[in-house]
Amino acid sequence: MSWRLWLKSKPKSVNLGFYGEVNAGKTTLANKIGLDWAEQEVGIVSEIPHETRDIQKLEKVNFSANGTKLDLTLIDMPGIATSVNPKEFMKHGLSASEAMQRAKEATRGIIEAIKYLEQVDVALVIIDASKSPFDQVNFTIIGNLEHQKKPFILVPNKIDLIEADVRLVRDAFSQYPVVPVSAIQGDGIDELYDKIAELAKRVRR
Amino acid sequence: MKYRVDFVPYSETNDLTDDEKIRYILSKVMRNTILVLENGLTPTEEMNLISKTMVKINFNDFVGLRFFSFDGGTDFKLNKLFGRGSKNKVFTVVAPNEAVTVQKDKRGILSIRIND
């Protein structure tokens, strides 16, 4: 095989970043993709906000959809927030010192997630479909991805919940690709894989 | 807690660099001022504001802020508040986290509820 053919047959390496507000289900979705394609989870899921405070990666994820083979690195980012209040964590049963420690780590994690945006090739912007999508964080993330010309998919998550309102998300972000999913139940995941494969074609290596 | 609302015209922040603008915002918001900036933030400035806010959080009297950038469209009347010649159709509201709930609904109405 010539080196050109070999290069063509080699799966393209793509950094897939998971961005979104806190507790939107980024890690749940990253774990679902990790388990589907590499039989590994990316991180721990918790109802306590800011469970993911460090950037977590899963490399060498051999992904294939619609005839497109990719060598994915899943990059699960800490949730982006404009405030971090230790008192919120204490409502979830953490002690004052645990809450303070978590808050300090969370602020550092947010800064790291923002810095890492440049390293991402394709982004999934996860939105909690059971809440109002009009959170400034969503608009700020999308604005920056557009500014940096990064391909991205809006992923309203938790569509299995009765409060989920996908139509509202579609209305709010009508000019962008939207693929609703339930990361926990797997609904919509195949459509998401097709879209990831489609957008990965735009990534230049 | 008493909060002040400042309507900041374009001329006040237009000549500032991105970093100066963020410093200006944080210095005001950390002193319990709610800002309505006629010269709204760009997405890059918004991310910069979030990063700089994280550095400033001290977990006692400042735990962060809330903001919302609003694209009012061509017929948006609030521009009149700032007088004729206003160039921006976008404005940004920035407030101390504990002070307000800033929320936009599906009709595009931006509500700023000042907490007790």
Side-chain angles (χ1 to χ4, degrees), chain B residues 5-114:
Chain B
V5 181
D6 281 1
F7 290 79
V8 183
Y10 188 86
S11 56
E12 179 74 3
T13 55
N14 185 39
D15 292 333
L16 302 180
T17 65
D18 286 3
D19 280 345
E20 286 169 345
K21 197 169 168 184
I22 301 304
R23 273 201 298 275
Y24 173 89
I25 292 168
L26 279 169
S27 69
K28 294 263 187 183
V29 170
M30 290 178 78
R31 284 181 282 145
N32 298 325
T33 303
I34 297 166
L35 297 175
V36 183
L37 298 158
E38 185 190 22
N39 188 10
L41 299 176
T42 65
T44 310
E45 288 171 333
E46 289 173 358
M47 266 314 192
N48 195 8
L49 177 61
I50 296 174
S51 284
K52 296 284 192 310
T53 300
M54 291 302 118
V55 175
K56 290 282 184 188
I57 287 176
N58 58 22
F59 306 110
N60 294 315
D61 53 350
F62 184 66
V63 293
L65 48 75
R66 290 178 195 273
F67 69 94
F68 208 102
S69 290
F70 192 86
D71 185 353
T74 51
D75 62 345
F76 190 59
K77 304 292 190 294
L78 193 69
N79 276 349
K80 289 182 178 175
L81 274 177
F82 301 105
R84 294 179 71 181
S86 171
K87 292 174 191 168
N88 276 25
K89 288 174 188 156
V90 177
F91 71 88
T92 300
V93 178
V94 193
N97 181 58
E98 301 298 318
V100 299
T101 308
V102 183
Q103 211 163 30
K104 190 179 174 188
D105 71 12
K106 54 187 165 188
R107 288 181 296 160
I109 296 172
L110 186 71
S111 302
I112 306 169
R113 188 189 306 155
I114 299 179

Side-chain angles (χ1 to χ4, degrees), chain A residues 23-65:
Chain A
N23 276 19
K26 294 177 292 301
T27 306
T28 307
L29 183 59
N31 284 346
K32 170 69 182 156
I33 298 175
L35 284 169
D36 279 358
W37 299 101
E39 297 178 358
Q40 279 186 66
E41 292 195 336
V42 180
I44 296 166
V45 174
S46 166
E47 286 187 7
I48 307 174
H50 294 286
E51 178 65 26
T52 306
R53 301 183 293 285
D54 292 310
I55 293 168
Q56 304 182 109
K57 286 189 199 175
L58 181 61
E59 295 176 324
K60 303 283 174 203
V61 175
N62 294 314
F63 171 97
S64 174

Side-chain angles (χ1 to χ4, degrees), chain A residues 82-85 134 136 140 144, chain B residues 43 46-47 63 65 67-69:
Chain A
T82 57
S83 63
V84 179
N85 191 344
F134 299 105
Q136 180 61 47
T140 299
N144 278 271
Chain B
E46 289 173 358
M47 266 314 192
V63 293
L65 48 75
F67 69 94
F68 208 102
S69 290

Side-chain angles (χ1 to χ4, degrees), chain A residues 58-77:
Chain A
L58 181 61
E59 295 176 324
K60 303 283 174 203
V61 175
N62 294 314
F63 171 97
S64 174
N66 269 349
T68 302
K69 289 183 178 176
L70 302 171
D71 169 13
L72 291 181
T73 297
L74 308 181
I75 310 171
D76 184 24
M77 304 289 178

